């Protein structure tokens, strides 16, 4: 175990830590100068532009499409409809959940904003103008936008494209032990039940989705620059769907302006740009605008949860059960490991010690855009954490017990790890109470409660909300986890050049997380090569090893391990080469950062740079050692890593207006050793802002006809610095026992953990009005309604 050592990390000549530590992000040099290279920056000679005609209806039959006027517009090169795609066998494509999704609608449209036709033109303005000239004969059908009505006998059947489908049911799935859980509830002294909605929200990355496709008619090679978090998986899916030879497909994911899970699925626009290029023989660029992104690409959540908790009168939790109605929209397009149709939701047992738990999830189609797994959710651990952390607060209210005391009484203890949860997860390591105490100390918890009591006496409404979360991140292992049959293991290649500079090639793809920096730091930590001498190459299937990509905070747990192991492989090879150069046995050598030296004679040694030159030079290499200094690994993780944390939020609520002010936010995260603490803090800052956004303002609402009411940033509110306090961050460090450097993922922790803290704080503030629960978003209007005893609007 090379956990974060106490010894100071040596600095390179450029002042960077040769290993773990704070260092400015290498990629910021280009980002801060506006010199990033995003998909929309790609310009190719003769490039054409695509635009998508979208459905104004949530549900309508298509009786005909007249494209003649659009085709006649000067500058228009092609108008592609579902009928055209049908002749190519491409009207429908598989989703990442083994469902099918229309690329361009043929029979019906099933959500507002669905793709109906694709225009290719000389400019993006001509393409958009041409959309206006397409005449679609729609026959509106009744729509079902409310998941609770989707299984009604008279609900319109959305997926009548599927043979024999007579309802909107997608699947039922369960986890845990129903009998034991029911028995625990039957015998419990206290039972609390609450209907808890995690509303539909949208990841809304800064860069919207898009692609540039170039099918070279002479070579037959397809190059696709695209906004994807999983270039290799996408390439394989294109090969399978379009029947294109996989070696002729190059997926390039250049700089990405945020992904947040929005860029895991394959969207019809990507496929249309490919078809557009095949049809015209030219490169075709398609970039959606903000409204298209908000209305049609992968949303997040939409989980209707009935959560029950059983406990003793003293507050010892005995069982939890959750009934979920999952709204998947019109196509089941969620991206998650095949075995887990509800993602990792069954981690809802949380951070507490109790024997019985059960959940069942029923998923339905509605006339809404597809999605569900996105927005830093760790495969629906957001929903799980929100469910358990809200119901624990409801239990505390019922027991009239302090919510911190209730949590401390039930947290898993350090000696219980590795701990198997009642739903089957094996948590790798943790010291939960320590983390909670650090957070409470930082917050001054007892003083805060005293202040709250004083304020209440004066008629002021201050609230304190706690959330203690455990995540499981780093999917595989491959035998348990695959997406469309592709096992979740990741490759990593490392080449050390003759001069001792290196290139490391990853299968994961950064969308802003700073991989070009942190993966260089991992290699630096193992080999002693300064991070500025290590180039990180990612996001190009022709130049990187196969792997499943970046989501579920899996890059550090999976590819981070691969990078450490590939560097160790190079180090082992370097030892053999150093032994040859020093004319000693490999066993006589000892490693110190950046150098093998002879035991007992530290002056005699070879630096990694010298060894690199030897490996490419004239030195006679020992039997069995190939020349050059490089290595490859494929890392198949033995388990997930389980980061966790304790968040405390302090709010002031104005009961007259319902306005919530987040006054303080304390976040103590434990993600094991931090490769770059500055980047980790940045990840946490972003996720905390997400939490404030979701808890207080973000919502994709629909009317009864399925009209999307939040297609712009005028309606879909995002948090800004104005709504965010100065974050107060703390840390504890509990390494993962199975990860080569002990690191756990952190990229989604704060988004997963923070909404419950904010909501718990608001409900705590307004609890004197008899409020026990109110659904997000807690906008001023909704807080006011809750205080008045009226239902909130979601
Ligand atoms: N890190 C570290 N020490 C650790 C853990 C992580 O220094 N112990 C660093 C990593 O090296 C990496 C970053 O923190 O640079 C995030 O690492 P990790 O937790 O492995 O997550 P991923 O790199 O796999 O990123 C995915 C995650 C997801 S799934 C979403 S969604 C999300 C998130 O990252 N999307 C983001 N954070 C985002 N941040 C930005 N800027 N943009 C997005 O789209
Ligand atoms: Cu669930 S969003 Mo991230 O896993 O890309």
């Amino acid at each position: 175990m090379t956990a974060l050592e106490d010894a100071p990390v040596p600095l390179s000549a450029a002042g960077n830590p040769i290993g773990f530590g704070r260092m400015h992000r290498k990629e910021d040099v280009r980002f801060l100068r506006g010199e990033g290279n995003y998909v929309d920056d790609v310009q190719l000679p003769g490039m054409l532009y695509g635009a998508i005609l979208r459905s104004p209806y949530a549900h309508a039959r298509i009786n005909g499409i007249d494209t003649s006027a659009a085709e006649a517009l000067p500058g228009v090169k092609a108008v592609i409809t579902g009928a055209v795609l049908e002749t190519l066998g491409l009207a429908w494509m598989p989703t990442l959940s083994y469902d099918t999704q229309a690329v361009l609608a043929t029979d019906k449209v099933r959500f507002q904003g669905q793709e109906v036709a694709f225009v290719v033109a000389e400019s993006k303005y001509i393409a958009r103008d041409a959309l206006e000239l397409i005449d679609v004969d729609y026959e509106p059908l009744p729509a079902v936008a409310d998941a609770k009505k989707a299984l009604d006998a008279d609900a319109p059947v959305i997926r009548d494209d599927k043979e024999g489908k007579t309802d909107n049911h997608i699947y039922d799935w369960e986890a845990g032990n129903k009998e034991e859980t029911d028995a625990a509830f039957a015998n419990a002294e206290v039972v609390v039940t609450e209907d808890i909605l995690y509303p539909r929200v949208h990841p809304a990355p800064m860069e919207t989705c898009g692609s540039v496709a170039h099918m070279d008619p002479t070579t037959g090679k397809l190059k696709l620059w695209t906004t994807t978090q999983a270039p290799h998986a996408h390439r394989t899916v294109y090969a399978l769907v379009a029947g294109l030879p996989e070696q002729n497909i190059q997926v390039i994911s250049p700089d990405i302006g945020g992904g947040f899970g929005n860029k895991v699925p394959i969207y019809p626009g990507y496929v249309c740009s490919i078809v557009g290029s095949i049809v015209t023989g030219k490169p075709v660029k398609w970039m959606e605008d903000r409204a298209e992104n908000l209305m049609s690409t992968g949303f997040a959540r939409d989980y209707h949860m009935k959560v029950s908790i059983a406990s003793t009168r003293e507050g010892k939790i005995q069982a939890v059960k959750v009934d979920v109605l999952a709204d998947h929209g019109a196509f089941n397009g969620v991206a998650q490991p095949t075995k887990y149709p509800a993602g990792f939701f069954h981690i809802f047992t949380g951070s507490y010690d109790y024997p019985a738990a059960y959940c069942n999830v029923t998923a339905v189609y509605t006339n809404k855009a597809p999605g569900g797994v996105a927005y830093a959710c760790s495969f629906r651990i957001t929903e799980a954490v929100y469910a358990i952390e809200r119901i624990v607060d409801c239990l505390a209210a019922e027991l009239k017990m302090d919510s911190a005391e209730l949590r401390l009484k039930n947290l898993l203890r350090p000696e219980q790890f590795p701990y198997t949860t009642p739903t089957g997860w094996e948590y790798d390591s943790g010291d939960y109470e320590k983390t909670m105490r650090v957070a409470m100390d930082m917050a001054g918890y007892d003083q805060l409660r005293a202040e709250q009591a004083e304020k209440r006496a004066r008629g002021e409404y201050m609230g304190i909300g706690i959330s203690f979360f455990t995540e499981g991140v780093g999917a595989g292992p491959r035998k348990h986890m695959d997406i469309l049959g592709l096992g979740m293991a990741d490759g990593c290649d490392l080449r050390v050049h003759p001069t001792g500079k290196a290139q490391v090639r990853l299968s994961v793809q950064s969308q802003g997380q700073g991989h070009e920096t942190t993966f260089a730091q991992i290699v630096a930590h193992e080999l002693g090569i300064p991070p500025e001498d290590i180039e990180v190459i990612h996001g190009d299937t022709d130049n990187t090893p196969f792997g499943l990509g970046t989501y579920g905070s899996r890059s550090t747990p999976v590819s981070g391990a691969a990078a450490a192991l590939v560097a160790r492989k190079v180090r082992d090879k370097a030892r053999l080469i150093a032994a040859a150069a020093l004319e000693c046995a490999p066993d006589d050598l000892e490693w110190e950062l950046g150098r093998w030296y002879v035991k007992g004679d530290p002056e005699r040694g070879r630096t990694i740079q010298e060894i690199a030159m030897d490996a490419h030079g004239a030195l006679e290499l020992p039997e069995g050692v190939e020349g050059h200094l490089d290595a490859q690994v494929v890392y198949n993780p033995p388990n997930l890593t389980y980061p966790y944390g304790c968040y405390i939020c302090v709010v002031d609520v104005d009961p007259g207006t319902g306005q919530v002010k987040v006054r303080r936010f304390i976040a103590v995260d434990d993600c094991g050793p931090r490769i770059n603490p500055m980047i980790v803090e940045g990840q946490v800052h972003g996720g905390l802002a997400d939490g404030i956004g979701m808890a207080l303002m973000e919502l994709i609402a629909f009317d009864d006809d399925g009209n999307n009411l939040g297609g712009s940033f005028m309606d879909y509110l995002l948090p800004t610095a104005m709504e965010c306090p100065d974050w107060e961050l703390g840390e504890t460090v509990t390494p993962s026992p199975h990860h080569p450097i002990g690191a756990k993922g952190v990229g989604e922790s704060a988004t997963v953990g923070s909404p419950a803290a904010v909501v718990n704080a608001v409900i705590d503030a307004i609890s004197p009005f008899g409020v026990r629960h109110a659904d997000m978003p807690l906008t001023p209007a909704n807080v006011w309604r809750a205080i008045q005893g009226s239902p909130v609007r979601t």
Side-chain angles (χ1 to χ4, degrees):
M1 173 73 46
T2 35
L4 195 68
E5 291 108 66
D6 289 334
V9 178
L11 297 185
S12 71
N16 292 319
I18 306 181
F20 301 163
R22 285 171 195 276
M23 103 174 228
H24 284 149
R25 302 198 315 172
K26 292 171 154 206
E27 42 273 81
D28 285 345
V29 175
R30 64 177 190 281
F31 290 158
L32 293 175
R33 293 175 185 176
E35 286 169 5
N37 181 39
Y38 300 89
V39 169
D40 208 14
D41 293 322
V42 174
Q43 293 294 340
L44 299 176
M47 191 168 76
L48 301 174
Y49 297 82
I52 292 178
L53 180 71
R54 294 179 181 280
S55 167
Y57 296 103
H59 203 191
R61 191 159 302 288
I62 295 178
N63 289 328
I65 304 180
D66 182 355
T67 59
S68 53
E71 277 159 16
L73 187 72
V76 169
K77 298 292 177 189
V79 181
I80 297 162
T81 60
V84 174
L85 292 185
E86 226 160 26
T87 62
L88 303 168
L90 290 176
W92 291 81
M93 62 178 182
T95 69
L96 299 182
S97 282
Y98 288 99
D99 194 3
T100 48
Q101 174 171 358
V103 178
L104 293 174
T106 47
D107 52 341
K108 286 202 309 193
V109 286
R110 294 173 169 83
F111 68 90
Q112 189 189 46
Q114 190 183 330
E115 300 79 1
V116 175
F118 187 70
V119 171
V120 183
E122 280 167 4
S123 80
K124 56 185 172 188
Y125 305 103
I126 296 174
R128 293 256 164 171
D129 283 349
L131 297 183
E132 313 266 309
L133 301 174
I134 300 175
D135 188 14
V136 185
D137 178 5
Y138 291 108
E139 177 189 331
L141 299 168
V144 52
D146 180 352
K148 293 194 287 303
K149 296 182 182 156
L151 296 179
D152 288 356
D154 60 350
V157 178
I158 298 166
R159 294 302 303 276
D160 48 358
D161 57 290
K162 288 165 154 316
E163 221 178 285
K165 190 86 186 127
T166 54
D167 61 21
N168 295 315
H169 180 262
I170 306 177
Y171 64 78
D172 291 309
W173 187 78
E174 57 178 0
N177 187 315
K178 186 171 187 321
E179 288 70 40
E180 282 173 16
T181 307
D182 285 347
F185 271 91
N187 299 320
E189 290 170 354
V190 181
V191 171
V192 173
T193 297
E194 198 63 64
D195 284 314
I196 296 175
L197 170 68
Y198 206 133
R200 179 175 276 238
V201 289
H202 199 283
M206 268 211 271
E207 179 198 27
T208 56
C209 298
S211 54
V212 177
H214 184 205
M215 169 63 98
D216 187 324
T218 46
T219 61
K221 174 116 184 168
L222 170 67
K223 268 192 176 192
L224 185 72
W225 288 261
T226 183
T227 47
T228 172
Q229 297 176 220
H232 289 277
H234 278 202
R235 182 191 58 187
T236 304
V237 175
Y238 291 125
L240 293 172
V241 176
L244 296 168
E246 196 166 358
Q247 80 282 11
N248 277 359
I249 305 173
Q250 182 180 8
V251 174
I252 303 167
S253 189
D255 286 329
I256 298 235
F260 305 101
N262 191 202
K263 293 166 181 168
V264 180
I266 292 180
Y267 293 115
Y270 302 166
V271 179
C272 286
S273 68
I274 296 172
V275 174
S277 180
I278 294 174
V279 169
T280 61
K282 301 274 189 218
V284 173
K285 179 186 280 184
W286 166 73
M287 280 307 297
E288 66 188 4
D289 64 19
R290 182 58 59 189
E292 293 182 283
N293 179 264
L294 283 170
M295 287 179 69
S296 71
T297 60
F299 73 91
R301 329 279 191 256
D302 225 342
Y303 255 34
H304 300 253
M305 306 180 283
K306 182 178 179 148
V307 192
S308 301
I309 191 165
S311 97
T312 65
R313 230 166 256 124
E314 288 70 44
K316 189 80 194 87
I317 302 172
Q318 293 168 314
V320 174
K321 65 180 172 192
V322 191
D323 258 310
V324 180
L325 179 64
D327 185 339
H328 282 230
F331 306 101
N332 184 16
V334 295
Q336 81 253 300
T338 306
K339 259 196 199 172
Y340 303 107
F344 296 169
F345 179 76
H346 52 307
I347 202 167
F348 69 85
T349 56
S351 314
Y352 309 108
D353 178 23
Y354 56 90
Y358 174 75
C359 73
N360 79 301
V361 180
T362 295
V364 296
Y365 291 118
T366 57
N367 288 112
K368 301 191 308 206
V373 164
Y375 205 167
C377 65
S378 301
F379 297 122
R380 299 213 189 260
I381 298 179
T382 32
E383 289 92 322
V385 165
Y386 186 66
I388 182 74
E389 289 308 292
R390 265 284 47 237
I391 203 70
V392 164
D393 260 37
C394 294
L395 176 65
E398 176 74 22
L399 296 170
K400 300 194 172 33
M401 198 173 183
D402 180 83
S403 65
E405 188 192 332
L406 179 60
R407 285 183 171 81
L408 285 168
K409 197 170 196 150
N410 288 285
L411 283 179
L412 290 163
R413 297 179 309 281
E415 67 275 13
Q416 288 178 279
F417 292 89
Y419 171 79
T420 304
T421 72
T423 52
W425 300 102
E426 191 189 291
Y427 293 0
D428 56 353
S429 61
D431 187 346
Y432 291 178
E433 178 170 347
K434 180 171 151 196
T435 305
M436 178 128 180
R437 297 273 180 207
V438 170
M440 289 172 72
D441 285 350
M442 283 174 63
Y445 187 75
D446 294 338
Q447 296 95 294
L448 283 173
R449 284 291 176 204
E451 181 191 347
Q452 180 184 40
E454 268 169 45
K455 288 200 160 146
R456 271 196 192 158
R458 296 204 292 269
E460 289 172 32
Y461 296 89
M462 158 186 172
I464 304 156
I466 303 175
S467 162
F468 198 106
F469 66 91
T470 301
E471 281 188 278
V473 299
R478 54 192 290 177
K479 74 171 170 192
H480 295 315
M481 299 192 195
D482 69 87
I483 288 185
L484 282 186
L486 300 172
M488 300 181 90
D490 284 63
C492 187
D493 297 355
L494 177 61
R495 278 186 214 163
V496 185
H497 303 315
T499 57
K501 318 284 180 187
Q503 285 180 318
V504 60
R505 290 162 208 275
L506 311 177
S507 57
V508 291
Q509 157 69 47
S510 173
Q511 305 97 48
Q513 297 90 338
H515 291 179
E516 287 167 40
T517 308
T518 46
F519 281 83
Q521 290 186 270
I522 293 172
V523 174
H525 176 79
E526 298 294 336
L527 281 183
I529 298 175
E532 64 271 17
D533 289 349
I534 303 165
E535 187 192 9
V536 175
I537 297 172
H538 60 157
D540 178 346
T541 54
D542 272 10
N543 291 303
T544 56
F546 186 85
L548 269 262
T550 292
Y551 41 81
S553 302
R554 63 189 296 284
S555 303
T556 303
V558 186
S559 283
L565 293 181
V566 83
R568 287 179 196 177
K569 242 180 163 173
V570 164
R571 196 165 77 198
D572 290 345
K573 186 172 178 183
R575 179 187 208 160
L576 302 177
I577 297 168
L582 295 165
E583 298 180 333
C584 65
D587 283 350
D588 293 340
L589 294 177
E590 202 132 316
W591 175 257
E592 67 179 353
L593 189 63
R595 179 170 178 272
W596 284 109
Y597 67 91
V598 179
K599 274 181 212 164
D601 187 3
E603 296 300 303
R604 261 181 78 207
R606 299 293 277 169
T607 64
I608 192 78
Q609 289 82 2
E610 288 165 342
I611 299 168
M613 191 55 93
D614 288 341
H616 294 84
L619 177 75
E620 184 80 43
L621 295 175
E623 199 49 40
V625 177
E626 293 171 7
H628 304 171
L629 193 55
D630 48 22
Q632 301 185 340
V633 298
V634 177
Y635 185 74
N636 181 29
N639 187 7
L640 302 174
T641 65
Y642 292 84
Y644 57 92
C646 182
Y647 293 171
I648 301 180
C649 177
V650 183
V651 300
D652 296 302
V653 177
D654 178 342
T657 61
Q659 185 89 36
V660 175
K661 175 141 183 54
V662 179
R663 195 206 310 167
R664 287 182 66 195
F665 202 110
I666 295 92
V668 180
D669 275 276
D670 193 322
C671 56
R674 297 177 174 204
I675 298 152
N676 186 326
M678 185 195 74
I679 286 182
V680 170
E681 287 161 16
Q683 291 287 299
V684 172
H685 286 175
L688 297 178
D690 286 345
I692 288 192
M694 283 181 274
L696 302 181
M697 58 191 82
E698 295 176 29
L699 170 76
I700 298 211
F702 292 83
D703 69 10
D704 289 344
D705 295 324
N707 291 306
N708 185 317
L709 305 178
S712 83
F713 283 159
M714 295 289 282
D715 308 295
Y716 190 74
L717 298 185
L718 294 183
T720 67
M722 294 289 287
E723 289 80 26
C724 298
D726 279 339
W727 312 112
E728 300 170 57
L729 304 191
E731 72 174 303
T732 56
V733 179
T734 312
S736 168
H738 62 77
H739 188 282
I741 55 174
K744 303 179 176 187
V746 78
E748 298 163 300
S749 293
T751 316
V752 166
S754 60
V758 180
V759 173
N760 284 347
V762 175
I763 302 298
D764 182 51
I766 61 176
S767 60
F769 297 97
V771 181
R772 191 169 82 179
H773 176 72
D775 284 324
M776 298 185 279
L778 293 172
T779 57
N782 272 342
V783 172
W784 189 84
R785 282 188 195 104
I787 291 172
Q788 307 306 314
S790 315
V792 301
R793 295 206 180 133
T794 57

